[in-house]
Amino acid sequence: MAAGPDMIADPPRFEQVQPVRLYERIVEQIEAAVARGELRPGERLPSERELVVQFGTSRATVREALRVLESAGLVRSRPGDPRGPEVLQIGVDSLRRPLERLAGAARLSLAQLVVSRMMLDSTANQLAAGLRTEEQLAWIEQAVEVMRTALEEGQDAFSKADMTFHEVIMSIAGNPLIQLGHTAVRDTVLALISDTISDADDSRAVMQRSLTHHEEVLDAIRAGDGVRAARASRRSLYEYYAASVTADERAALEAMLLG
Amino acid sequence: MAAGPDMIADPPRFEQVQPVRLYERIVEQIEAAVARGELRPGERLPSERELVVQFGTSRATVREALRVLESAGLVRSRPGDPRGPEVLQIGVDSLRRPLERLAGAARLSLAQLVVSRMMLDSTANQLAAGLRTEEQLAWIEQAVEVMRTALEEGQDAFSKADMTFHEVIMSIAGNPLIQLGHTAVRDTVLALISDTISDADDSRAVMQRSLTHHEEVLDAIRAGDGVRAARASRRSLYEYYAASVTADERAALEAMLLG
DNA sequence: TTGTATTTGTTCGTATGTATC
DNA sequence: GGATACATACGAACAAATACA
């Protein structure tokens, strides 16, 4: 095979090459082991000194890898624990910090977050309306009942009851991805607007309206009407947040109202 | 003030206390500085040795903090650079790895992933239908045109054109959160079923149907009919995946079809 | 272009406080 | 309570890589 200039048909597409740090290789290996299920939550990693032997690096390098995994919420190491670092159960908290960073860097606007909540909430309601059993319907009814009583007890109790309501819905919808996304987005929204709305002196009226919206959702789910349940949650969120977003961002919220 | 047992009115609610690592404090401070805008993307952090002086810790501790920030995509340090670690522009990619970890650890079923895709796709279509400009409409039309020609060129070209179509839609929808979720879920789905479907010998017919569905979406977006655009994508995904999920899981997919 | 100084990547040794048996 | 093994944190050192004169 003689190689000539005209033999080069495909221009070589080279990838940019970057130095791979040792600690990254360690992170990859441990991460892969967790992903493959070889390391289950509650199990222990070998001690740092043991890892030094297995990976053939220094202690500092192993520790850098462990700090990265720790900040990602995958492991936790405690001084003096002879059993070694613990593999943790992965949860929403692993998404919360990155999400908040993203929102804080102004790459995510409140409107974008609210649109996401409209999507997640309405989908969960639609699924719940279609999949609920009679027993699960009773759970929702009880959650609404708790909200009614909490209305008298003040804002904290009401917002807690509201959270419970949505957790019940999410569990019935049966989709962990939607559930996790919902709590992550909700937390981010709360961190973003903090108490802009909760400071309103007409909080009683706001809570009353919120309760009415939840009762509408309950009605729709009871009737098995997923479309109506989805619409109710979208409108509720729109009412609540529309005044807090800029005019041009509101177009996206309004586009979500259809259907 | 004499202290007696009856003086204790409020029962002391103590929070569980956990050891705070030095590197965490450093991460917090740098993170806060970035969030406050004191450190803009492109700017440089002091060198490691300088940070050692400013924080009053050892270099290993500073390095652990830098590795955590690096893995989070906030900074990048290169050997030999006397200007110090670079502050990076935060992007959606910072959410990708946590999301993939979560999807992998949550043992998501194909049905749950497909439901999520129905949610994300249909929402993006609805937003695009309501927000598109004339120019953006032309982008979509061009993407569909590319799919038509790719139909003749085989499966790889077609699936690539399909990806481009969705990327265009996502960019018009203007919600990075939805966009990110979409690519993450799509990648996970592909990793799950690998080539179960692509090995079908009637791939030509499958591609043809897919093209028809995309044309339906285009029509609806052209007409500004968000509801129809959303419905089209849900039905397309249902048709494509319904046969691959178990019967009881199919109920969730069918619940998503309404609306 | 070459050389030099500085910085990061990595390693080793050590002291200290802590959890488990 | 003591012994052991562990993680935390510090300091010094060398090699490789980069920027700048």
Side-chain angles (χ1 to χ4, degrees):
Chain A
M1 292 221 308
D6 49 350
M7 292 288 294
I8 302 175
D10 261 333
R13 302 277 299 175
F14 293 131
E15 292 180 357
Q16 199 157 11
V17 67
Q18 61 239 11
V20 175
R21 261 66 139 262
L22 290 184
Y23 87 91
E24 262 293 349
R25 314 293 297 265
I26 298 179
V27 168
E28 287 171 9
Q29 286 197 43
I30 297 181
E31 206 172 353
V34 173
R36 282 196 303 267
E38 299 172 8
L39 285 171
R40 308 198 143 277
E43 287 191 90
R44 300 301 181 130
L45 253 54
S47 71
E48 288 188 3
R49 286 170 180 81
E50 178 62 26
L51 291 174
V52 165
V53 176
Q54 291 194 25
F55 287 114
T57 68
S58 77
R59 186 97 185 279
T61 304
V62 167
R63 282 176 61 81
E64 287 177 8
L66 286 177
R67 293 296 87 83
V68 169
L69 292 168
E70 190 172 61
S71 73
L74 266 76
V75 304
R76 177 183 52 188
S77 50
R78 286 180 312 168
D81 194 334
R83 292 169 299 182
E86 181 183 4
V87 177
L88 298 179
Q89 172 86 20
I90 184 111
V92 265
D93 294 338
S94 60
L95 270 185
R96 207 176 129 181
R97 304 255 306 188
L99 244 181
E100 284 178 357
R101 266 198 293 263
L102 209 54
R107 310 276 301 173
L108 283 179
S109 68
L110 175 62
Q112 288 169 335
L113 288 166
V114 172
V115 164
S116 302
R117 265 204 70 180
M118 290 170 92
M119 170 184 76
L120 293 160
D121 251 330
S122 63
T123 302
N125 285 345
Q126 181 159 349
L127 286 168
L131 302 174
R132 68 161 181 84
T133 64
E134 286 302 319
E135 182 190 15
Q136 289 169 335
L137 178 61
W139 297 349
I140 307 177
E141 284 169 342
Q142 187 187 346
V144 171
E145 188 56 37
V146 171
M147 288 182 72
R148 283 201 195 93
T149 66
L151 183 60
E152 308 297 331
E153 299 169 16
Q155 206 152 200
D156 287 350
F158 188 80
S159 110
K160 192 173 175 181
D162 177 85
M163 274 183 50
T164 305
F165 175 90
H166 286 107
E167 279 166 12
V168 169
I169 296 285
M170 289 293 157
S171 73
I172 297 176
N175 195 311
L177 214 50
I178 296 176
Q179 181 171 11
L180 297 178
H182 181 263
T183 66
V185 171
R186 178 177 51 76
D187 289 348
T188 308
V189 169
L190 289 180
L192 210 72
I193 66 173
S194 62
D195 24 26
T196 306
I197 296 185
S198 71
D199 278 349
D201 51 353
D202 55 351
S203 64
R204 168 86 192 198
V206 173
M207 286 191 290
Q208 180 59 56
R209 258 212 302 277
S210 173
L211 176 59
T212 305
H213 282 301
H214 284 75
E215 287 171 336
E216 286 175 21
V217 172
L218 168 59
D219 270 348
I221 291 180
R222 185 188 286 121
D225 189 342
V227 177
R228 206 173 92 217
R231 184 165 46 216
S233 61
R234 286 195 301 263
R235 292 197 174 160
S236 170
L237 284 165
Y238 179 82
E239 259 195 40
Y240 196 76
Y241 290 108
S244 303
V245 306
T246 61
D248 57 329
E249 282 184 324
R250 203 171 302 150
L253 269 64
E254 283 161 3
M256 289 293 293
L257 283 181
L258 310 174
Chain B
M1 291 220 308
D6 49 349
M7 292 286 294
I8 302 176
D10 259 331
R13 301 277 300 176
F14 294 131
E15 292 180 358
Q16 197 156 14
V17 66
Q18 59 238 7
V20 175
R21 264 65 148 278
L22 290 186
Y23 87 91
E24 262 295 348
R25 314 292 298 262
I26 298 180
V27 168
E28 286 170 11
Q29 287 198 42
I30 297 181
E31 208 172 352
V34 172
R36 281 195 304 266
E38 298 173 10
L39 284 171
R40 305 197 147 276
E43 287 191 271
R44 301 298 183 133
L45 255 55
S47 70
E48 289 186 2
R49 284 171 176 79
E50 178 62 25
L51 291 174
V52 165
V53 176
Q54 292 194 23
F55 287 112
T57 67
S58 74
R59 196 152 92 94
T61 305
V62 168
R63 284 178 58 79
E64 288 175 7
L66 286 177
R67 294 295 86 83
V68 169
L69 292 168
E70 191 169 62
S71 74
L74 267 77
V75 304
R76 176 185 52 187
S77 50
R78 288 181 313 165
D81 194 335
R83 295 169 298 183
E86 181 184 3
V87 178
L88 298 179
Q89 170 91 340
I90 181 118
V92 277
D93 292 338
S94 60
L95 269 185
R96 195 173 156 174
R97 285 182 57 107
L99 237 183
E100 286 177 354
R101 268 197 292 262
L102 208 56
R107 298 276 173 266
L108 300 170
S109 70
L110 176 61
Q112 288 168 334
L113 287 165
V114 172
V115 165
S116 302
R117 268 203 67 179
M118 290 169 91
M119 171 184 75
L120 294 160
D121 252 328
S122 63
T123 303
N125 285 344
Q126 181 161 348
L127 287 168
L131 302 174
R132 68 158 181 88
T133 64
E134 286 301 317
E135 183 190 15
Q136 289 170 334
L137 178 61
W139 297 350
I140 309 178
E141 284 168 342
Q142 188 186 347
V144 172
E145 188 56 39
V146 170
M147 289 183 72
R148 283 200 196 94
T149 65
L151 185 59
E152 308 297 332
E153 297 169 17
Q155 209 150 197
D156 288 350
F158 187 81
S159 110
K160 192 174 177 182
D162 177 84
M163 274 182 52
T164 305
F165 174 91
H166 286 105
E167 281 168 11
V168 169
I169 296 284
M170 288 294 157
S171 72
I172 297 175
N175 195 310
L177 218 49
I178 296 177
Q179 180 172 12
L180 174 73
H182 183 262
T183 65
V185 171
R186 178 177 50 77
D187 288 350
T188 309
V189 169
L190 290 180
L192 212 76
I193 67 171
S194 61
D195 24 27
T196 306
I197 297 184
S198 69
D199 278 348
D201 51 352
D202 56 349
S203 65
R204 167 84 193 202
V206 174
M207 287 191 289
Q208 180 59 57
R209 258 212 301 276
S210 173
L211 176 58
T212 305
H213 282 301
H214 285 74
E215 285 171 337
E216 286 175 21
V217 172
L218 169 60
D219 271 348
I221 292 179
R222 184 188 288 122
D225 188 342
V227 177
R228 207 173 91 217
R231 184 166 46 215
S233 61
R234 287 195 299 264
R235 293 196 174 160
S236 170
L237 284 165
Y238 179 82
E239 259 195 37
Y240 196 78
Y241 289 108
S244 303
V245 307
T246 62
D248 57 330
E249 283 184 323
R250 204 171 302 151
L253 270 64
E254 282 159 3
M256 289 292 293
L257 283 181
L258 309 175

